[in-house]
Amino acid sequence: MNLGDSKMDEGMLRAAVPGGVWAAIDVVASTGSTNADLLARAVAAPDSPEGQVLVAEEQTAGRGRLGRTWTSAPGASLTFSVLLRPASVPPDRRGWLSLLAGVAVASAVRSVTGGVAGDVGVDAMLKWPNDVMVGDRKLAGILIEQSPDGSAVVIGTGLNVATPAGALPVSPAGLPATSLLLEGAAVSRETLLLAILGQLADWYLAFRADPDPVRTGLLAGYRRLCGTLGQTVRVELPVGRVVTGVATDIDPDGRLLIVANPGDPPTAVSAGDVVHVRSRA
């Protein structure tokens, strides 16, 4: 079992990867950014199939949401990207792929760290839109990017698996970080990756066939895992405006609905940096 002390078993991953969408898995020792590498592949070979998975033992120039940088120590994290070609998903629904990825990662973490009876292990939840949290601590981040021609979408994930406290990345947003190791879960990176790919495939294939988050159950699934709901939040919008209030719901467009005062109409937020101020009593 690989807990961060050796290279991931590429042969085992290729043999065990769930079917349906995944066409190839490559594991490299080091790269700048797995997202950048797969986007470059998509541009260089626009007819290449979807379902490519690129895993890096180390990322030296990873990117996060809102232009933030992210690096990973060799062997301690699970850092990978997948290339998808969601031609059947309209542009106005593609934002849901980011939330879909969050649901897949959080669900996989809860599943593989749980007991044989299906008990929840590490209580992974989502901070809107797709930060994977354990309590107030960030376990994983997700970045989705699109190729210039819009034909390909790349979803990148960085998850702290066996990272000790002294080596955890510092969040530019001020969030404390954690790892599965620190949360008391000993899980191999191969097991975790296969579980995430299984969840991703299930949700993606359903959404690709019917890009409606209500009919596919994606909206309901996201709501169940969204720890932002019910919280008093402060949202820093890209334009510099700040919205504060209680996060009451997620709408069918994936937007966070915030009510400033009881009885006020909700403000719908489609992008921004969310800070959980306190839970609603």
Side-chain angles (χ1 to χ4, degrees):
M1 182 169 63
N2 189 318
L3 295 177
D5 57 351
S6 60
K7 184 180 178 183
M8 293 181 71
D9 189 336
E10 185 179 68
M12 185 276 277
L13 289 171
R14 289 177 173 176
V17 66
V21 64
W22 309 120
I25 295 183
D26 296 311
V27 179
V28 298
S30 180
T31 191
S33 163
T34 54
N35 261 33
D37 292 348
L38 285 188
L39 283 170
R41 286 189 196 178
V43 171
D47 295 328
S48 60
E50 69 174 350
Q52 299 177 54
V53 183
L54 179 61
V55 186
E57 294 288 342
E58 175 189 40
Q59 274 198 135
T60 59
R63 302 190 301 276
R65 290 180 57 247
L66 306 178
R68 293 165 178 154
T69 58
W70 193 87
T71 59
S72 63
S77 301
L78 176 59
T79 56
F80 71 99
S81 298
V82 301
L83 187 152
L84 303 174
R85 295 192 181 276
S88 62
V89 179
D92 63 349
R93 291 293 175 90
R94 290 194 178 187
W96 267 103
L97 294 173
S98 178
L99 281 68
L100 181 155
V103 171
V105 174
S107 298
V109 168
R110 294 165 72 91
S111 174
V112 301
T113 60
V116 294
D119 298 331
V120 173
V122 173
D123 190 19
M125 299 290 287
L126 296 171
K127 181 170 78 70
W128 185 90
N130 59 16
D131 281 339
V132 182
M133 310 289 292
V134 182
D136 63 352
R137 304 170 300 282
K138 185 172 178 178
L139 178 68
I142 297 168
L143 176 66
I144 182 169
E145 298 180 284
Q146 189 166 252
S147 63
D149 65 358
S151 67
V153 168
V154 172
I155 300 172
T157 301
L159 194 155
N160 300 316
V161 179
T163 316
L168 285 170
V170 178
S171 168
L175 286 174
T178 190
S179 66
L180 292 180
L181 175 69
L182 295 177
E183 299 299 330
V187 179
S188 77
R189 291 181 296 154
E190 290 91 342
T191 298
L192 184 57
L193 176 60
L194 291 171
I196 294 173
L197 292 178
Q199 288 281 342
L200 267 176
D202 289 346
W203 284 111
Y204 173 67
L205 290 174
F207 192 67
R208 188 182 68 180
D210 180 11
D212 185 305
V214 176
R215 287 195 297 265
T216 58
L218 180 56
L219 176 57
Y222 185 88
R223 284 170 171 159
R224 284 193 296 270
L225 290 169
C226 185
T228 300
L229 296 181
Q231 300 267 0
T232 297
V233 300
R234 183 178 74 252
V235 185
E236 299 174 2
L237 304 179
V239 295
R241 180 183 167 211
V242 175
V243 175
T244 59
V246 175
T248 59
D249 202 1
I250 307 296
D251 74 7
D253 292 321
R255 299 178 300 179
L256 181 66
L257 302 184
I258 300 172
V259 174
N261 298 292
D264 287 353
T267 298
V269 174
S270 59
D273 200 15
V274 173
V275 176
H276 291 179
V277 179
R278 64 180 183 275
S279 298
R280 181 173 54 185

